Amino acid sequence: YHEGRVSNHIYFSALREPAIWAAELAEALTACDARGRVYVVEPTGPFEDDPNVTNKKFPGNVTRSYRTRHPMRIVEEVRGWDGHAPEVLQEMLDNIARLRAEGLDVIED
């Protein structure tokens, strides 16, 4: 979620909760007024654990978060998903701002 940054990977999760967080953060951290989207996807090539969360923030891969350099096939859009309470989302945004201010919001891409 850095302006001007181009990612080398597509990030995805086998769980809905991390996908909802990603959609909410994309919505909150961009100038776009559109609601974030959540999709059910299928990888078309090899993928690996997301090193940005695996063994850094959560031991193992409990969020089942992955990344790939290959296209993803969209199976369907998840509609009607419920986001987090505004105060919970704000806590996450405050934490991201703190990490950014400390230079700790590094993404291994």
Side-chain angles (χ1 to χ4, degrees):
Y1 306 109
H2 295 132
E3 186 173 330
R5 181 183 175 108
V6 176
S7 180
N8 295 311
H9 294 90
I10 299 170
Y11 293 85
F12 64 102
S13 175
L15 302 176
R16 188 172 289 194
E17 179 69 11
I20 289 172
W21 269 117
E24 287 183 294
L25 292 173
E27 180 181 340
L29 295 171
T30 64
C32 182
D33 289 332
R35 186 165 195 233
R37 295 179 178 218
V38 177
Y39 297 99
V40 175
V41 297
E42 292 177 356
T44 63
F47 55 91
E48 63 187 7
D49 288 351
D50 177 357
N52 298 293
V53 293
T54 304
N55 294 330
K56 285 188 178 179
K57 297 178 184 173
F58 306 102
N61 192 356
V62 296
T63 62
R64 296 181 59 199
S65 298
Y66 307 97
R67 69 181 189 180
T68 183
R69 291 179 182 256
H70 299 274
M72 301 293 286
R73 181 176 295 110
I74 297 175
V75 175
E76 68 180 286
E77 182 174 357
V78 176
R79 299 189 184 271
W81 52 268
D82 293 322
H84 296 86
E87 60 274 8
V88 174
L89 179 58
Q90 189 58 56
E91 285 179 31
M92 179 67 86
L93 292 169
D94 292 346
N95 189 45
I96 290 170
R98 180 187 56 77
L99 290 172
R100 191 164 286 171
E102 295 172 2
L104 299 175
D105 65 331
V106 177
I107 297 174
E108 288 183 35
D109 194 44

